[in-house]
Amino acid sequence: MAHQVNGVVAAAKGGPVKLVPILVPDPGPGEALVRVKACGVCHTDLHYREGAINDDFPFLLGHEASGTVESVGDGVTNVAPGDFVIIAWRAPCGTCRSCLRGVPWYCFSSRNASQPMTLADGTPLSPALGIGAFAELTLVDAGQAVKVSPKASPEAAGLVGCGIMAGIGAAMHTGNVGRGDSVAVFGCGGVGNAAIAGARLAGAHTIIGVDLDDRKLAWAKEFGATHTINASSTDPVEEIRKLTGGNGVNVAIEAVGNPLTYEQAFYARDHAGTVVLVGVPSPDMKIELPLLEIFGRGGSLKSSWYGDCLPSRDFPMLIDLYLQGRLDLDRFVSETIGIGDVEEAFHKMERGEVLRSVVVF
Ligand SMILES: NC(=O)c1ccc[n+]([C@@H]2O[C@H](COP(=O)([O-])OP(=O)(O)OC[C@H]3O[C@@H](n4cnc5c(N)ncnc54)[C@H](O)[C@@H]3O)[C@@H](O)[C@H]2O)c1
Ligand SMILES: [Zn+2]
Ligand SMILES: [Zn+2]
């Protein structure tokens, strides 16, 4: 049986999203049907709507979600109806060449539901990041449903499903930030501020937040930035050098998705430091760097997909840190909104008014 619920759909490139009836099938083997409780509005949803990810319209948006397992298909053992879960966009397959090499966070065939969710007329939907959770119900592979403590607030927990994990993981896993390190984060939106929180958790000594917007920089301080730089009035590379004894930072994290900030991150690094690109560029973006600088500065230039996380390992850990009062996830929730308010939330994001608007059901 298919369930008819309302979902937020991007039908065409650049057009406003609409709330429309969609059909969500009952779970088949290995699948889980999740009743969504909360879903954050991430910049990646906006990238989908803009056609910057791919052209597989119509998209069912929403991918930063928590909810309760409604029912499961045959053979599902990791979750049961009633479990409180965060939905992950990575569920390692266990058999691809990355999984077999012991680096499952690089899995090449991460699992998703095999049955499609559709529009009322049967047109298959492309769920954002294989999730599609701006809807009362969503169908995922059971491996995407990660059980966490139900004591967490659904709004805060949902954010762990994308932006928070991407940012914290960019610092902790990809950047391998350690005790005493200096870190700069370019772009202090939801993802960048999570990187700042991750750098603090990892024991960084100097944490520099860079943004164009003073509101974002004020939030960065609350998450643990020791210094902030407004790049609209100050050259961030020069300023970062000044703040680090003339050397630059050990780890520079780019959380905008822009060639200019990537280049700033590249030059703001100390000798043999690490650049981590977590911001998602659009297909037209290009960068030119002197090859000699890439060689001479040494270190590493890395990309961070989902903070190189393993959801089943990392989500429960982050929720425990939150419940212990060591990671303030509630502070990322700028506002709660209804499912009909996603388009307006995109505009608030573009105007820099929010870290996260979160749809609650
Ligand atoms: N790699 C991943 O796994 C992953 C996961 C989630 C999101 N993302 C990406 O991370 C990026 C950030 O996402 P978000 O939700 O935090 O977006 P956001 O819009 O909330 O934040 C972006 C921030 O960058 C700032 N900014 C823009 N131009 C700047 C500049 N020139 N210098 C300094 N700051 C600048 C903005 O003021 C804003 O605060 C997006 O590209 C998103 O798609 C990546
Ligand atoms: Zn795999
Ligand atoms: Zn996201």
Side-chain angles (χ1 to χ4, degrees), residues 137-185:
L137 290 169
T138 189
L139 185 71
V140 293
D141 184 279
Q144 294 179 262
V146 178
K147 191 173 165 179
V148 297
S149 169
K151 291 191 195 121
S153 104
E155 299 92 286
L159 300 188
V160 171
C162 182
I164 302 285
M165 187 69 252
I168 290 183
M172 281 187 163
H173 296 321
T174 319
N176 201 20
V177 172
R179 202 165 53 235
D181 280 350
S182 53
V183 179
V185 177

Side-chain angles (χ1 to χ4, degrees), residues 269-350:
R269 242 177 349 149
D270 195 1
H271 193 70
T274 303
V275 177
V276 177
L277 175 62
V278 59
V280 179
S282 53
D284 55 310
M285 290 176 172
K286 294 210 161 41
I287 188 156
E288 196 173 317
L289 286 169
L291 192 54
L292 185 61
E293 293 285 352
I294 295 177
F295 174 73
R297 286 167 181 266
S300 54
L301 309 176
K302 301 174 95 177
S303 305
S304 185
W305 309 320
Y306 211 177
D308 290 338
C309 76
L310 273 185
S312 55
R313 176 193 64 189
D314 296 337
F315 290 2
M317 180 267 291
L318 292 181
I319 291 299
D320 286 348
L321 289 177
Y322 160 72
L323 293 172
Q324 290 166 10
R326 295 162 69 190
L327 173 61
D328 190 354
L329 295 177
D330 294 319
R331 205 182 278 275
F332 285 94
V333 181
S334 309
E335 61 167 1
T336 54
I337 58 174
I339 191 175
D341 303 330
V342 171
E343 182 63 31
E344 176 53 24
F346 283 149
H347 299 304
K348 287 183 193 156
M349 177 192 284
E350 286 170 325

